Amino acid sequence: MLHFRFSKPILLATLALTYSITCYATPSKADYKSFQPSPDQPYYFEDGKVDFGTYNGFRRYHADCHVCHGPAGLGSSYAPALLDSLKVMTWGDFVNVVISGREGRDNMIMPSFAKNVDIVTNLSDIYAYLKARADGVIGATRPAKFPKVKKLIADN
Amino acid sequence: MVTAKRKVLAICFTASAMLAAAGGVTANSELLKMQQNANDWVMPNGNYASTRYSELNQITAKNVKDLKVAWTFSTGVLRGHEGGPLVMGDVMYVHTPFPNKVFALDLNDDGRIIWKYEPRQDTSVIPVMCCDTVNRGLAYGDGKIIMSQADTTLVALDAKTGKKVWSVKNGDPSKGETSTAAPMVVKDKVYIGVSGGEFGVRGSLTAYSLKDGKQVWRGYSMGPDSDTLLDPQKTTHLGKPVGKDSGINTWKGDQWKIGGGATWGWYSYDPDENLVYYGSGNPSTWNPVQRPGDNRWSMTIFARDADTGMARWVYQMTPHDEWDYDGINEMILVDQKINGKMRKALVHFDRNGFGYTMDRVTGELLVAEKFDPAVNWATHVDMKTGRPQVVAKYSTHQNGEDVNSTGICPAALGTKDQQPASYSPRTGLFYVPTNHVCMDYEPFEVSYTAGQPYVGATLSMYPAPGGNNLGNFIAWDADKGKIVWSNEEPFSVWSGALSTAGDVVFYGTLEGYLKAVDAKSGKELYRFKTPSGIIGNVNTYMHNGKQYIAVLSGLGGWAGIGMAAGLTDPTAGLGAVGAYASLSNYTQLGGTLTVFTLPD
């Protein structure tokens, strides 16, 4: 599906994605400290709180995505509500659209974010946030969070 | 059909006759004269002083209740319709958001289309426009209608035929430079700025030749003196010379090159001083920690010589912005007694919540007071240094990266955004459409990539404490710096106001109402629900002896994002939010012009 020409930025993006996807290698949900996100379980939720990655997804979403897609994935007058889209989109679909961009209905344009380091390196966090929204796990406001877990390099 | 054709010929003839008559007069005196003719509406804010006031008095506080719709016109475009039409003689010129159509409508024939212009623009410009694909309108000069398209193409059309006379590219959308502003014509020049403060552009105001579109000068918001057109000795900031390279030395390293200070708002002009006035927007990024210093001259009022672009004075309202309080709102030029002394004043209602009154000749700061009592990020403005006294608790820089600063008023969309206010010389009051919204703001580190968002903060917005209303429509005394009356509005008032000699003030609401209120008391006299939310600006004109009121409706813009969805989710748990129903329960998208008049 991805028709990449391996220009430098795209290559960078691809590498970053591979990194993100490797993050998904060992799913686990024991507690927030040992939690490893996966496409099936991208976020951790307990006692009204999300893991730090999902919280970071909330922040990144509201920096780069919400100007079109509306606060908290609610959509706007010119881009779809991701709250709904993520009910049907898979992780693969999501990556595809964010990296390649696409032309939608009514002159709607999703640009390619392949060159955007802020997006590419936080993509699995943004996915986790939107998935948590789509699943109805968290509301429209800033989610409460567990502290950041320092990951040992050896973990990857 | 025959009748229609004849009418076209008649109009063409009238227009050419007018132009021929104006032949010996320079474009300058042509417009100076035209702006005084209350029958027409020749520039977006009515006149060079941007008062949005009309001498027409057929519609009065007494009879406005009888107002009826005369005719309507669908633009065929969805999304946010900001700005409003121009009217000259028998023709009305209507613009739309992207794809930026222009229509010339025949006022002798219920708005039949005389000509239509629709540019071919690359749709890739759409996602680099931060806050909807709005456009704030057209300019007229020397027989041409001028528009700044979304992709920064400045185009001049023959007012009679709609044929392109010239076009010039003002910026590069692949670097995030786009355009939303209405140009201004002064003498033989057209002025236009640039949008893209959320993409790390470097803002500028550029003058082009009205005749052929050649660039004459460009003054950047930041950079060396040769770029900013600031004279180290002669250009002043509150009476003091700015010094050498003031547009660089309050920035870390080369950050000024992606420093923001976009110039997407309104432009005013004082013919006596020959000065063009406008404001610059937020410094890029929204994360203040990443860009230490005052970040001059973002958030600044500029007074530039119309011929050379050299700045006579500047005033930075929000040094080192930490909240996205762009300084681009309109500059209203009035001659008024301030503190007992007659002044050539400039009145400006800033996003940061302060209403500023300045001496527009010297740049002296006369009054700076909050025009919404909810404003809390600063206690006051120090009148000597001009600096707002920032409250530590609401300083997103002092609180630092990755910390959520809460309860900041106003929100990033400001106590007032671009929606222009109006000034009536009959009451001496300013009529100001406002937002009444507060926010949480969390900055974090971002990287710059050309053409990609460069934001670096996350925000949540909600109504100001103590009420449910997200907006107010107020009357303001610029001498005392006080609110005279204030009408609550359920949503932000995102529509430009109009005041008239009939002592009526008009404005639109996000639910779609056109409202008329009494200029003295603020009492509502009339309302009509148009097909969509109003973020356009109201104007008035006279045709065949009758006064008309015209307004574009068509929900969108920043208001269409933040308001239509986020603030209204009853599950949001934001205090009084349950009281809100979504704006989408009131209105839907769609651009329509509605024209009102009194019954015969």
Side-chain angles (χ1 to χ4, degrees):
Chain A
M1 282 303 289
L2 294 171
H3 302 290
F4 282 146
R5 274 187 219 107
F6 282 86
S7 66
K8 219 175 180 184
I10 306 257
L11 191 63
L12 173 77
T14 319
L15 287 174
L17 274 175
T18 321
Y19 168 77
S20 296
I21 293 161
T22 21
C23 276
Y24 281 171
T26 48
S28 146
K29 355 172 26 174
D31 67 12
Y32 80 90
K33 280 180 193 154
S34 60
F35 171 69
Q36 291 287 333
S38 70
D40 293 334
Q41 194 53 58
Y43 57 85
Y44 180 82
F45 181 78
E46 188 194 334
D47 287 342
K49 288 191 249 179
V50 294
D51 63 289
F52 191 86
T54 303
Y55 177 77
N56 183 46
F58 160 83
R59 300 194 310 179
R60 296 291 169 178
Y61 173 86
H62 286 92
D64 289 347
C65 317
H66 91 289
V67 291
C68 290
H69 288 286
L74 288 159
S76 78
S77 54
Y78 43 90
L82 297 179
L83 187 67
D84 298 326
S85 306
L86 270 278
K87 286 177 179 147
V88 291
M89 284 177 99
T90 64
W91 162 244
D93 298 338
F94 181 76
V95 172
N96 210 343
V97 173
V98 176
I99 298 305
S100 310
R102 79 166 165 205
E103 237 171 280
R105 287 167 289 120
D106 304 329
N107 249 343
M108 285 195 196
I109 301 279
M110 171 73 184
S112 159
F113 284 90
K115 291 183 190 171
N116 189 320
V117 182
D118 298 314
I119 292 275
V120 169
T121 55
N122 292 291
L123 199 52
S124 56
D125 286 350
I126 296 169
Y127 181 72
Y129 167 67
L130 289 171
K131 201 72 186 157
R133 285 285 294 138
D135 290 351
V137 169
I138 50 174
T141 51
R142 183 178 302 265
K145 61 177 185 290
F146 287 106
K148 199 172 185 171
V149 181
K150 272 209 170 155
K151 288 206 176 79
L152 296 171
I153 291 166
D155 277 3
N156 289 316
Chain B
M1 279 308 287
V2 176
T3 338
K5 252 189 195 161
R6 224 177 250 157
K7 261 182 188 151
V8 178
L9 286 175
I11 289 157
C12 291
F13 177 75
T14 325
S16 0
M18 267 168 53
L19 288 175
V25 193
T26 66
N28 178 31
S29 51
E30 178 198 16
L31 265 175
L32 277 177
K33 241 196 184 139
M34 286 173 87
Q35 58 148 0
Q36 286 166 359
N37 177 3
N39 292 341
D40 289 350
W41 190 269
V42 295
M43 43 190 87
N45 289 330
N47 48 50
Y48 277 135
S50 298
T51 59
R52 303 193 62 75
Y53 169 79
S54 169
E55 287 291 350
L56 297 182
N57 60 6
Q58 211 172 68
I59 298 167
T60 65
K62 275 215 174 92
N63 65 21
V64 68
K65 64 178 189 321
D66 300 325
L67 219 54
K68 293 276 180 301
V69 172
W71 55 278
T72 61
F73 175 77
S74 166
T75 67
V77 179
L78 300 175
R79 303 208 177 191
H81 284 59
E82 288 186 349
L86 302 184
V87 177
M88 271 161 281
D90 293 334
V91 185
M92 175 187 276
Y93 300 92
V94 180
H95 72 288
T96 77
F98 189 93
N100 304 129
K101 297 184 202 177
V102 183
F103 297 96
L105 304 181
D106 182 357
L107 295 180
N108 286 324
D109 200 359
D110 287 344
R112 195 184 49 81
I113 299 165
I114 300 167
W115 57 257
K116 176 190 153 188
Y117 169 79
E118 183 171 348
R120 288 176 61 90
Q121 291 185 85
D122 191 337
T123 46
S124 67
V125 70
I126 295 175
V128 280
M129 304 188 75
C130 87
C131 314
D132 206 355
T133 55
V134 294
N135 186 290
R136 290 184 202 89
L138 308 168
Y140 170 83
D142 197 23
K144 301 179 195 83
I145 292 291
I146 296 143
M147 174 176 56
S148 182
Q149 296 170 191
D151 65 2
T152 75
T153 303
L154 187 69
V155 60
L157 308 172
D158 186 312
K160 285 179 287 179
T161 63
K163 292 254 160 27
K164 194 194 284 186
V165 181
W166 54 257
S167 76
V168 62
K169 199 89 170 161
N170 186 49
D172 180 358
S174 76
K175 290 182 190 152
E177 291 170 341
T178 55
S179 192
T180 57
M184 178 173 73
V185 171
V186 172
K187 294 188 259 190
D188 56 352
K189 295 184 188 66
V190 189
Y191 305 85
I192 190 67
V194 71
S195 304
E198 281 59 55
F199 291 81
V201 308
R202 181 161 62 117
S204 61
L205 185 76
T206 309
Y208 292 96
S209 160
L210 178 59
K211 193 167 156 244
D212 53 17
K214 278 211 181 76
Q215 186 176 318
V216 183
W217 56 257
R218 169 171 289 174
Y220 283 95
S221 302
M222 54 269 308
D225 292 338
S226 55
D227 282 8
T228 57
L229 307 184
L230 262 57
D231 184 308
Q233 269 76 49
K234 286 184 194 148
T235 306
T236 58
H237 183 261
L238 299 181
K240 294 194 185 87
V242 291
K244 193 173 157 31
D245 288 336
S246 56
I248 290 182
N249 57 25
T250 63
W251 290 89
K252 185 176 143 192
D254 276 355
Q255 283 184 342
W256 57 269
K257 288 182 178 167
I258 51 166
T263 45
W264 55 276
W266 303 101
Y267 319 116
S268 303
Y269 173 63
D270 180 339
D272 295 335
E273 299 298 321
N274 196 36
L275 290 176
V276 171
Y277 300 93
Y278 69 97
S280 61
N282 63 286
S284 306
T285 124
W286 284 15
N287 175 5
V289 182
Q290 256 176 281
R291 45 162 175 79
D294 276 357
N295 310 132
R296 287 179 167 184
W297 298 98
S298 64
M299 310 306 227
T300 296
I301 301 176
F302 285 85
R304 289 191 188 274
D305 184 281
D307 300 330
T308 64
M310 288 302 289
R312 182 188 292 180
W313 59 263
V314 287
Y315 169 54
Q316 190 179 42
M317 295 169 285
T318 313
H320 187 63
D321 171 61
E322 310 170 45
W323 313 269
D324 187 35
Y325 295 152
D326 290 48
I328 59 82
N329 293 353
E330 75 288 355
M331 312 292 163
I332 306 174
L333 314 182
V334 297
D335 297 345
Q336 237 190 357
K337 250 191 186 164
I338 308 291
N339 301 325
K341 193 178 157 194
M342 207 50 198
R343 292 277 191 171
K344 288 182 132 200
L346 174 155
V347 176
H348 169 80
F349 299 93
D350 198 57
R351 283 255 285 264
N352 74 13
F354 286 90
Y356 294 89
T357 308
M358 307 195 63
D359 184 312
R360 69 174 181 269
V361 179
T362 62
E364 184 189 344
L365 180 60
L366 305 172
V367 179
E369 296 291 339
K370 296 172 182 178
F371 63 99
D372 180 350
V375 173
N376 65 10
W377 67 279
T379 54
H380 64 284
V381 173
D382 182 302
M383 296 304 282
K384 279 213 181 93
T385 61
R387 292 185 85 91
Q389 301 303 296
V390 176
V391 175
K393 171 164 117 163
Y394 302 120
S395 165
T396 70
H397 188 152
Q398 291 175 47
N399 293 338
E401 281 180 348
D402 303 328
V403 176
N404 186 28
S405 299
T406 59
I408 304 165
C409 308
L413 30 74
T415 302
K416 177 184 163 303
D417 202 87
Q418 58 75 31
Q419 60 275 34
S422 176
Y423 167 77
S424 166
R426 288 171 59 89
T427 58
L429 296 176
F430 292 79
Y431 300 97
V432 193
T434 73
N435 308 313
H436 190 58
V437 183
C438 301
M439 69 172 170
D440 301 345
Y441 191 113
E442 178 179 339
F444 48 82
E445 180 149 358
V446 278
S447 317
Y448 173 78
T449 309
Q452 292 290 334
Y454 185 51
V455 179
T458 169
L459 278 62
S460 341
M461 302 192 215
Y462 40 84
N468 288 340
N469 59 310
L470 292 162
N472 294 301
F473 188 78
I474 67 164
W476 175 259
D477 180 329
D479 172 23
K480 298 194 179 76
K482 284 214 159 60
I483 296 169
V484 178
W485 51 255
S486 177
N487 291 353
E488 286 190 1
E489 282 290 343
F491 298 100
S492 293
V493 189
W494 210 272
S495 154
L498 165 77
S499 61
T500 70
D503 288 333
V504 193
V505 180
F506 296 89
Y507 66 95
T509 74
L510 282 184
E511 307 103 295
Y513 290 108
L514 174 86
K515 289 190 178 179
V517 300
D518 186 296
K520 292 180 187 112
S521 65
K523 189 182 162 226
E524 186 177 314
L525 304 170
Y526 173 79
R527 67 161 73 183
F528 178 85
K529 183 115 185 246
T530 66
S532 180
I534 299 177
I535 60 171
N537 309 332
V538 190
N539 80 5
T540 187
Y541 62 94
M542 189 84 120
H543 187 251
N544 285 342
K546 287 193 78 167
Q547 185 185 354
Y548 292 86
I549 303 290
V551 69
L552 276 172
S553 46
L555 186 70
W558 203 359
I561 308 165
M563 301 298 151
L567 292 172
T568 52
D569 182 351
T571 63
L574 289 167
V577 169
Y580 286 83
S582 168
L583 239 193
S584 59
N585 293 343
Y586 291 89
T587 191
Q588 293 290 306
L589 303 183
T592 309
L593 175 81
T594 310
V595 180
F596 301 82
T597 193
L598 290 170
D600 288 321

